Amino acid sequence: GVKHLLGLGEFSSPHPELSTLPLFLIGSLGISPMIFKSISLLPIAGFIYYCLMVFSNKTMLILIICFSLLMPVIFFNIAMLEFSIWLFSFNTIMLLEFLRHRGEPIPQNNFRLLALILILVCLIRQPAVFSFIPLLAYLIIHKQFHEIRFLILCALIPCIQLAHNLSVGNPALGSSIAPYVLLSSSLSFSALIPVVQNFSYLLFLAIFSIIPAKKYGSLTVILLCYLTGYWIAFHLIDPVVWGMPRYLIEYMAPLIIIGLVKLYAIIP
């Protein structure tokens, strides 16, 4: 077949094509434990730069950065050679953009830059492809149909990559349990325990972030689309890896940051 002619059948990897890019960029400075551990600082530095650029309120700025860096489940992942921190940084920036522009459309340049950066993040961390769901929901809700074609073009490469990697086989998809059983079990007590253990009382902020409020308009719907997409994606994998911290920081931790910002905004 075509895959055999292209040599894909024998040498294909379930990991994204640019998963070694951060290692290549930082590794060019030398080979040492500190160099490898600093790989996670690249996306965190980008996230902090974004916050410094868009938030003039110093109190909120300090809260966002402190919660993002000192939340235990995030702090320990920063020190690991793990690319989930890239998706955490992107998803937090994306949701903050939705929050900042809740009363008006996100500027076209900002939206397109988000979509283009998302392509790169998808090629580093494969589950990032599900972040196209809230972006699409945003366009539909705000009736910006002229941007959907651009978003689809951006999603094309990550979706092809995902389809190919699924065909090759992914270790996280080793479960023989039917998808509908996995989804129905995702809200069970045993499935929720790891989430509570990793975030504890901070989960109240995540819940607060998706509570409908008139002043936030369609933001709640977009956040629900975001949460639903990732919740389904991460509960179709093998239950053995449900609740792993690196998965949770990718989609739950950004909601906690948004909940914090919303809570700060309503406190007199």
Side-chain angles (χ1 to χ4, degrees):
V2 175
K3 288 174 64 176
H4 178 73
L5 290 174
L6 295 176
L8 296 177
E10 188 174 352
F11 302 106
S12 291
S13 166
H15 301 291
E17 282 67 22
L18 296 184
S19 58
T20 55
L21 177 62
L23 184 62
F24 171 77
L25 294 176
I26 299 296
S28 63
L29 301 177
I31 300 177
S32 71
M34 283 302 299
I35 290 293
F36 288 119
K37 288 184 178 181
S38 65
I39 290 175
S40 297
L41 296 180
L42 281 176
I44 289 295
F47 169 67
I48 293 176
Y49 175 76
Y50 165 84
C51 292
L52 291 172
M53 291 294 293
V54 303
F55 290 105
S56 57
N57 186 312
K58 293 183 179 179
T59 303
M60 182 180 289
L61 178 65
I62 292 172
L63 282 173
I64 293 174
I65 293 177
C66 286
F67 263 70
S68 300
L69 300 184
L70 301 181
M71 203 183 301
V73 69
I74 297 175
F75 180 79
F76 289 109
N77 270 269
I78 292 177
M80 297 171 63
L81 185 57
E82 177 54 59
F83 303 125
S84 295
I85 203 68
W86 286 78
L87 187 47
F88 161 76
S89 298
F90 175 83
N91 279 342
T92 307
I93 290 174
M94 177 181 68
L95 297 187
L96 286 172
E97 277 294 289
F98 290 147
L99 181 63
R100 284 203 314 127
H101 298 283
R102 60 186 179 276
E104 59 187 13
I106 296 176
Q108 185 185 62
N109 289 341
N110 289 27
F111 184 88
R112 291 194 168 194
L113 183 59
L114 276 176
L116 291 173
I117 293 176
L118 182 53
I119 297 175
L120 178 61
V121 177
C122 286
L123 293 174
I124 295 175
R125 180 66 180 148
Q126 189 168 276
V129 69
F130 299 103
S131 289
F132 281 104
I133 295 174
L135 288 175
L136 178 61
Y138 170 84
L139 292 180
I140 294 174
I141 291 172
H142 289 272
K143 299 180 180 179
Q144 295 187 16
F145 303 115
H146 58 284
E147 286 294 314
I148 291 181
R149 182 172 62 178
F150 174 78
L151 187 66
I152 291 175
L153 289 175
C154 289
L156 194 58
I157 292 177
C159 286
I160 291 174
Q161 171 200 252
L162 178 64
H164 167 66
N165 289 346
L166 288 177
S167 69
V168 171
N170 192 302
L173 297 174
S175 176
S176 59
I177 304 173
Y180 72 90
V181 176
L182 289 172
L183 292 179
S184 63
S185 302
S186 68
L187 293 174
S188 65
F189 181 73
S190 59
L192 293 174
I193 284 179
V195 184
V196 176
Q197 287 178 332
N198 278 284
F199 291 111
S200 188
Y201 297 109
L202 292 177
L203 274 180
F204 285 109
L205 289 175
I207 295 171
F208 182 79
S209 70
I210 57 176
I211 293 177
K214 187 175 181 180
K215 66 179 291 187
Y216 290 104
S218 62
L219 176 66
T220 301
V221 178
I222 296 173
L223 291 179
L224 283 172
C225 290
Y226 163 88
L227 177 59
T228 302
Y230 273 107
W231 188 268
I232 292 174
F234 283 108
H235 286 88
L236 288 179
I237 58 178
D238 196 315
V240 172
V241 294
W242 284 7
M244 286 184 66
R246 65 193 181 99
Y247 293 145
L248 292 177
I249 68 170
E250 293 179 341
Y251 74 102
M252 287 300 295
L255 282 178
I256 289 175
I257 304 300
I258 296 303
L260 171 71
V261 176
K262 288 179 68 176
L263 182 61
Y264 178 86
I266 65 172
I267 295 177

